């Protein structure tokens, strides 16, 4: 192995990617696999989980697809046990489940608020309890990477509940970073700027796209592969050993020019 | 994963004689880059250059005093005439002076602003002019500090220069995105180097640092190399205008 491979290699590590059936998370899983990690893809949609697990397997690593409701403690607990048994103790946890809505504020039904907060935020609380709890219990070093958003603060227009949930993700990230720093479990977030994905497709009208581009100095959307570098860097204990509680923004300059 | 992350790249690194700059220079060379090393101390630069030669890469040690702002453009033109174009600029050189603000000496203020803020700006200009003229992309990494985020007594010039460098990073990122020049910063927490040696050896200070650092340790220059390599590489092409903190969790807590 050369210097770079050694610094960023994830060979022999086990990564659990929650929401791994999605576009961005699926790409992250593929990146982790290319760096040598065995991967569990957890998703509510078993077809998407299987599809991405197949792609991962082609990288020559082990992969496991599990149908999991990320808001269910029971599902997550069972998944953790199965992953530990089949792939080994989890070293890397990617928390990426996310849903969105642009219902106008005064019309948001309580159920919609509950659902978005459950999927986007409660899921991460539960996954950190279960997977992070195991890292602590096993005395394992670990890296937890939460997927936040450019809208985590200050918020974009229209996506109220989503933005609240992502602000919560940043706060949870920082809380746990401090809580677990001494035990060697690092907790960071990646805040993607604008990447066309399933979750925001409906919301990206031409006007909204134009206004986003006015605030994105690179004047383009991101591509899913452009998140892989940040994920591998944060996942690798050697490459980011002193980094915890960071919110890493991959956004084409959006937050550099927008308060 | 690419075999050599920075294959065929040339990097110019200031403050490369010791501490953080030296660690980044050695890491870049091991990642396949050729490196121009800048500081005022020839002996230190030569040692780093020798190590780099051992990795089979080219190093150009060049002494220069960055506080001589008006000579920077000439210096840059002169080295690049010898080395060829620079793909990656890393502004690491920095100075700190500790004194109560009431009596802070004017010359120390000026020195810190020159070395920590004005010199990086001049170098960014030289670098970007070359890149734009050649229609080539580029990466700039500025080293700022935790002290770009919080006030602390007795380091007025350092804090002002580092927070200035942070917003300068954002400004240049916004302005130069159209030229595919990414401009980012790394904000180190408390890192054990010669700059901080008096603090490491000061028991009350060290226990304060540990009490504020969730990881309960001083960082090492090696802790910063992963972030620097990542930001310098194509893997960070959609990241610009950011400061990445490598601080053991310092900023995650109050
Ligand atoms: N150590 C930390 O905890 C820490 C934390 C946050 C930020 N930083 C920043 O990280 C950077 C490097 O710090 P370090 O701890 O590695 O410090 P260091 O060991 O003192 O190294 C500083 C480097 O800058 C060079 N330099 C200083 N003044 C110069 C000048 N006028 N012209 C050219 N080169 C000059 C020095 O070389 P010569 O003296 O030979 O010229 C040396 O190579 C600085 O910008 C510092 O502010 C450090």
């Amino acid at each position: 192995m050369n210097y770079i491979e050694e610094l960023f290699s994830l060979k022999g590590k086990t990564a659990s990617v929650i929401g791994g059936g999605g576009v961005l998370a699926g790409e992250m899983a593929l990146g982790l696999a290319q760096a040598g990690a065995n991967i569990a893809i957890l998703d509510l949609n078993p077809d998407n989980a299987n599809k991405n697990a197949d792609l991962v397997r082609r990288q020559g690593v082990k992969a496991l697809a599990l149908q999991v409701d990320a808001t269910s403690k029971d599902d997550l607990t069972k998944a953790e046990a199965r992953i530990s048994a089949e792939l080994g103790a989890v070293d890397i946890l990617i928390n990426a489940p996310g849903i969105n809505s642009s219902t106008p504020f005064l019309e948001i039904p309580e159920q919609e608020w509950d659902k978005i907060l459950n999927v986007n935020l409660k899921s991460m609380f539960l996954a950190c309890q279960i997977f992070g709890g195991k890292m602590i219990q096993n005395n394992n070093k670990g890296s937890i990477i939460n997927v936040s958003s450019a809208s985590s603060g200050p918020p974009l227009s229209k996506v109220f509940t989503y933005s609240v949930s992502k602000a919560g993700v940043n706060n949870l990230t920082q809380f746990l970073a401090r809580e677990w720093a001494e035990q060697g479990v690092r907790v960071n977030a990646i805040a993607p700027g604008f990447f066309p994905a399933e979750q925001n497709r409906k919301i990206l009208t031409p006007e909204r796209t134009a206004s986003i581009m006015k605030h994105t100095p690179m004047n383009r959307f991101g591509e899913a592969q452009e998140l892989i570098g940040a994920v591998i860097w944060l996942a690798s204990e050697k490459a980011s050993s002193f980094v915890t509680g960071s919110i890493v923004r991959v956004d084409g300059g959006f937050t550099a020019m927008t308060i | 994963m690419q075999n050599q992350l920075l294959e065929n790249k040339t990097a110019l690194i200031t403050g490369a004689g010791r501490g953080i700059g030296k660690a980044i220079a050695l890491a870049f060379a091991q990642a396949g880059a050729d490196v121009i090393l800048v500081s005022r101390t020839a002996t230190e630069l030569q040692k780093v250059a020798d190590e780099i030669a051992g990795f089979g890469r080219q190093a150009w040690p060049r002494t220069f005093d960055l506080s001589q702002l008006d000579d920077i453009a000439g210096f840059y033109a002169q080295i690049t005439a010898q080395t060829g174009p620079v793909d990656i600029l890393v502004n690491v050189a920095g100075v700190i002076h500790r004194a109560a603000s009431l009596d802070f000496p004017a010359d120390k203020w000026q020195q810190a602003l020159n070395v920590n803020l004005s010199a990086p700006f001049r170098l960014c200009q030289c670098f970007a002019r070359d890149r734009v003229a050649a229609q080539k992309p580029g990466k700039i990494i500025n080293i700022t500090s935790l002290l770009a985020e919080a006030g602390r007594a007795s380091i007025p010039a350092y804090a002002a220069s580092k927070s200035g460098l942070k917003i300068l990073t954002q400004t240049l990122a916004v302005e130069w995105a159209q030229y595919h020049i990414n401009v980012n910063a790394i904000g180190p927490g408390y890192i054990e180097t010669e700059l901080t040696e008096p603090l490491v050896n000061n028991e009350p200070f060290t226990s304060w640092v540990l009490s504020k650092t969730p990881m309960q340790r001083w960082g090492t220059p090696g802790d910063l190399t992963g972030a620097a390599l990542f930001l310098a590489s194509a893997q960070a092409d959609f990241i610009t205008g950011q400061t990445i903190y490598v601080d053991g969790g310092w900023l995650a807590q109050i």
Side-chain angles (χ1 to χ4, degrees):
Chain A
M1 263 202 253
N2 72 22
Y3 173 75
I4 287 297
E5 286 166 347
E6 203 167 300
L7 192 62
F8 292 99
S9 169
L10 303 175
K11 211 168 179 54
K13 302 283 180 194
T14 300
S16 195
V17 183
I18 304 183
V23 176
L24 299 186
E27 202 65 46
M28 293 179 187
L30 207 55
L32 293 170
Q34 281 172 289
N38 298 316
I39 312 280
I41 306 268
L42 289 67
D43 206 284
L44 189 58
N45 180 323
D47 295 339
N48 290 346
N50 277 316
K51 190 181 71 192
N52 285 349
D54 281 344
L55 291 174
V56 159
R57 240 173 248 122
R58 283 190 215 149
Q59 303 302 323
V61 298
K62 285 191 263 180
L64 191 61
L66 296 173
Q67 182 181 15
V68 163
D69 174 357
T71 67
S72 154
K73 189 163 187 171
D74 194 43
D75 275 16
L76 289 168
T77 309
K78 285 184 187 136
E80 192 285 323
R82 232 188 110 186
I83 299 163
S84 289
E86 293 189 27
L87 299 180
V90 173
D91 309 285
I92 298 156
L93 171 65
I94 311 282
N95 279 315
I99 52 173
N100 202 345
S101 157
S102 58
T103 310
F105 177 78
L106 290 174
E107 292 159 30
I108 296 173
E110 267 183 72
Q111 299 89 311
E112 184 181 303
W113 160 271
D114 287 344
K115 174 136 202 243
I116 294 178
L117 281 172
N118 280 341
V119 173
N120 294 8
L121 184 55
K122 185 182 178 193
S123 67
M124 297 206 190
F125 151 66
L126 292 175
C128 287
Q129 273 195 333
I130 290 158
F131 288 87
K134 270 284 180 282
M135 292 173 187
I136 300 287
Q137 193 188 321
N138 297 342
N139 246 324
N140 252 358
K141 291 198 166 187
S143 174
I144 299 178
I145 302 170
N146 299 320
V147 178
S148 180
S149 159
S151 201
S152 59
L156 299 166
S157 64
K158 293 195 174 133
V159 286
F160 169 71
T161 319
Y162 178 83
S163 306
V164 171
S165 73
K166 293 298 189 180
V169 169
N170 291 0
N171 203 283
L172 169 151
T173 299
Q174 295 189 312
F175 181 93
L176 289 177
R178 168 159 64 180
E179 186 84 3
W180 290 340
E182 267 192 274
Q183 286 99 318
V185 175
R186 299 178 299 108
V187 189
N188 294 287
I190 292 179
F194 296 90
F195 291 72
E198 217 34 66
Q199 158 269 114
N200 59 10
R201 201 202 294 273
K202 278 174 293 195
I203 300 167
L204 286 174
T205 59
E207 305 80 68
R208 195 165 171 85
T209 299
S211 112
I212 287 169
M213 286 308 145
K214 254 195 276 163
H215 287 261
T216 303
M218 288 192 188
N219 200 23
R220 63 175 178 89
F221 285 109
E223 289 170 37
Q225 314 85 273
E226 293 184 295
L227 295 169
I228 291 176
V231 170
I232 293 178
W233 167 60
L234 286 173
S236 156
E237 167 65 25
K238 275 193 190 147
S240 60
S241 47
F242 205 49
V243 181
T244 195
S246 275
I247 317 287
V248 176
R249 296 177 196 271
V250 183
D251 65 4
F254 183 86
T255 43
M257 82 182 286
T258 309
I259 292 176
Chain B
M1 205 180 293
Q2 218 173 307
N3 267 355
Q4 288 288 37
L5 205 59
L6 304 181
E7 188 95 61
N8 295 326
K9 303 287 182 200
T10 299
L12 187 155
I13 303 176
T14 71
R18 53 178 188 266
I20 293 168
K22 173 181 174 180
I24 293 176
L26 295 176
F28 278 21
Q30 288 176 89
D34 297 324
V35 191
I36 303 163
L37 309 161
V38 179
S39 82
R40 293 166 303 182
T41 310
T43 48
E44 288 185 345
L45 295 181
Q46 193 53 52
K47 273 194 208 141
V48 180
D50 291 345
E51 271 194 68
I52 288 177
F55 303 134
R57 304 307 327 173
Q58 176 113 24
W60 297 275
R62 291 291 181 273
T63 52
F64 183 74
D65 180 354
L66 288 164
S67 64
Q68 301 307 306
L69 300 179
D70 291 335
D71 298 339
I72 287 178
F75 168 70
Y76 192 90
Q78 190 203 331
I79 7 173
T80 50
Q82 297 160 10
T83 64
V86 177
D87 306 282
I88 304 160
L89 168 66
V90 191
N91 285 303
V92 187
V95 290
I96 190 163
H97 183 75
R98 296 165 197 279
S101 296
L102 280 177
D103 304 312
F104 201 84
D107 61 329
K108 297 291 188 198
W109 169 272
Q110 202 51 55
Q111 168 79 359
L113 268 287
N114 284 351
V115 177
N116 300 356
L117 179 59
S118 303
F121 178 57
R122 301 277 183 116
L123 283 170
C124 288
Q125 282 183 310
C126 296
F127 173 80
R129 283 177 187 141
D130 267 14
R131 295 277 89 191
V132 172
Q135 298 194 350
K136 288 275 173 59
K139 305 269 187 190
I140 297 175
I141 302 171
N142 295 318
I143 304 297
T144 62
S145 165
L146 277 185
L147 296 159
E149 295 289 340
R152 258 187 76 64
S154 303
I155 44 164
Y158 188 77
S161 63
K162 290 297 187 180
S163 53
L165 187 57
K166 176 189 165 202
I167 301 292
L168 179 67
T169 299
Q170 292 178 220
T171 303
L172 300 181
V174 169
E175 202 169 326
W176 293 346
Q178 60 181 316
Y179 306 122
H180 305 286
I181 297 173
N182 297 52
V183 192
N184 291 292
I186 296 174
Y190 280 84
I191 310 293
E192 213 175 326
T193 66
E194 273 172 48
L195 185 85
T196 51
E197 196 178 83
L199 305 177
V200 177
N201 297 328
N202 172 331
E203 210 287 311
F205 193 92
T206 275
S207 38
W208 174 76
V209 166
L210 298 187
S211 77
K212 296 285 287 178
T213 307
M215 284 193 187
Q216 290 283 316
R217 64 174 177 91
W218 280 79
T220 66
D223 283 320
L224 297 161
T225 52
L229 285 165
F230 167 50
L231 286 177
S233 76
Q235 304 305 318
D237 277 352
F238 201 53
I239 301 185
T240 198
Q242 295 301 320
T243 301
I244 290 190
Y245 287 98
V246 179
D247 65 359
W250 187 293
L251 289 173
Q253 42 114 54
I254 292 173

